[in-house]
Amino acid sequence: MLNKKSEISSEKAYTYIKNSILEGVLNSGDRLKEDMIADEIKVSRTPIRDAIRRLESEGLVSSSPHAGARVSKWEHDELTELSKMRVLLEGYATELAAEKITNIEVQQLRDNCSEAEINIKKCDYLNVELMLKLNLQFHKMIVSASRNKRLMATIEPLWTLPIISINDKSSTCSHYSKTSKLRHLNENRNWKSLEHHIEIVMALQQNDPIWAGSAMRTHIRAASLFDKVFV
């Protein structure tokens, strides 16, 4: 069993590597060099190995005896499968949430939408990290409102896996590319996504599970269709 200091070091390593993957510092297929990571965050290699095992169980990292640990690669059909799983699981979670959500939680979702709207209006000054954070926060709050911990544990990994790129670095897809062409597409996507979020909140406020579940499924399917523009 890990002592307190080891647990802190392992969590530090886990957070550092995971954020590096999700923020695009580490790309699909990149090797995770234990010695370099250890030097960077000032921990021993043991916590690094613990973190890699944890990320491997989440699907973000793949390991082999000869190649070592690398950021996982995901093919088009695998990403499609993940999207279909989200449609089913999050749709169901949203239906449950519609029956159990509190007024406070509904207000928190409204606040989330308001903050996203303010950020989208900034256009070229869009805070990408904030948009990613708000979107993930929105979905987490809804699944949490379902009051089903097992469902949350099943869905949570599906929120991070699609961010990993496809095949190799040359085809890496970023939902928030800085090129002018993709910025325009992303602006359209952001507004459409916000419209969906607002509708979902309205359905939850009305405690309407059929409407809420349908709105969430439509939202995830639409996001999946948009992502095909980049592959």
Side-chain angles (χ1 to χ4, degrees), residues 29-88:
D30 280 356
R31 184 178 177 185
L32 301 180
K33 299 177 181 179
E34 295 179 8
D35 53 345
M36 292 181 62
I37 297 172
D39 289 341
E40 182 70 25
I41 61 176
K42 310 302 180 188
V43 300
S44 69
R45 295 178 67 173
T46 298
I48 305 297
R49 295 187 185 116
D50 291 337
I52 288 173
R53 281 193 292 268
R54 186 172 167 188
L55 291 165
E56 189 173 5
S57 71
E58 295 178 4
L60 288 173
V61 170
S62 301
S63 298
S64 64
H66 304 293
R70 295 180 181 274
V71 179
S72 296
K73 294 182 178 181
W74 291 81
E75 304 295 340
H76 299 281
D77 57 344
E78 293 175 308
L79 294 175
T80 299
E81 289 174 1
L82 291 175
S83 179
K84 289 180 178 178
M85 290 174 66
R86 284 191 61 198
V87 168
L88 292 171

Side-chain angles (χ1 to χ4, degrees), residues 79 82-83 86 157-165 173 175 227:
L79 294 175
L82 291 175
S83 179
R86 284 191 61 198
L158 304 180
W159 287 323
T160 54
L161 295 179
I163 295 176
I164 298 178
S165 61
C173 303
H175 293 173
D227 293 341

Side-chain angles (χ1 to χ4, degrees), residues 20-194:
S20 296
I21 294 172
L22 299 183
E23 293 170 8
V25 177
L26 292 170
N27 294 290
S28 176
D30 280 356
R31 184 178 177 185
L32 301 180
K33 299 177 181 179
E34 295 179 8
D35 53 345
M36 292 181 62
I37 297 172
D39 289 341
E40 182 70 25
I41 61 176
K42 310 302 180 188
V43 300
S44 69
R45 295 178 67 173
T46 298
I48 305 297
R49 295 187 185 116
D50 291 337
I52 288 173
R53 281 193 292 268
R54 186 172 167 188
L55 291 165
E56 189 173 5
S57 71
E58 295 178 4
L60 288 173
V61 170
S62 301
S63 298
S64 64
H66 304 293
R70 295 180 181 274
V71 179
S72 296
K73 294 182 178 181
W74 291 81
E75 304 295 340
H76 299 281
D77 57 344
E78 293 175 308
L79 294 175
T80 299
E81 289 174 1
L82 291 175
S83 179
K84 289 180 178 178
M85 290 174 66
R86 284 191 61 198
V87 168
L88 292 171
L89 295 172
E90 283 196 65
Y92 175 57
T94 307
E95 291 175 356
L96 294 178
E99 299 173 341
K100 302 175 182 179
I101 197 165
T102 66
N103 291 334
I104 293 176
E105 288 170 319
V106 169
Q107 184 58 53
Q108 289 172 339
L109 290 170
R110 284 205 204 95
D111 293 341
N112 178 284
C113 291
S114 296
E115 189 171 358
E117 181 177 8
I118 292 171
N119 194 34
I120 295 171
K121 286 180 178 178
K122 294 178 181 178
C123 296
D124 290 345
Y125 300 98
L126 180 79
N127 186 327
V128 174
E129 291 184 3
L130 178 59
M131 286 304 299
L132 290 170
K133 178 182 177 181
L134 289 172
N135 184 66
L136 181 57
Q137 187 181 71
F138 182 87
H139 286 268
K140 278 188 173 183
M141 285 192 291
I142 291 175
V143 178
S144 177
S146 74
R147 309 291 187 258
N148 190 317
K149 292 182 179 179
R150 291 184 183 276
L151 195 55
M152 170 65 89
T154 303
I155 293 173
E156 196 163 20
L158 304 180
W159 287 323
T160 54
L161 295 179
I163 295 176
I164 298 178
S165 61
I166 300 171
N167 292 329
D168 57 41
K169 292 181 182 179
S170 63
S171 65
T172 295
C173 303
S174 172
H175 293 173
Y176 297 92
S177 170
K178 293 182 180 179
T179 65
S180 59
K181 180 180 178 181
L182 295 186
R183 185 186 296 119
H184 174 68
L185 290 171
N186 287 332
E187 184 179 350
N188 291 339
R189 182 198 183 177
N190 288 332
W191 281 117
K192 179 57 67 175
S193 178
L194 179 59

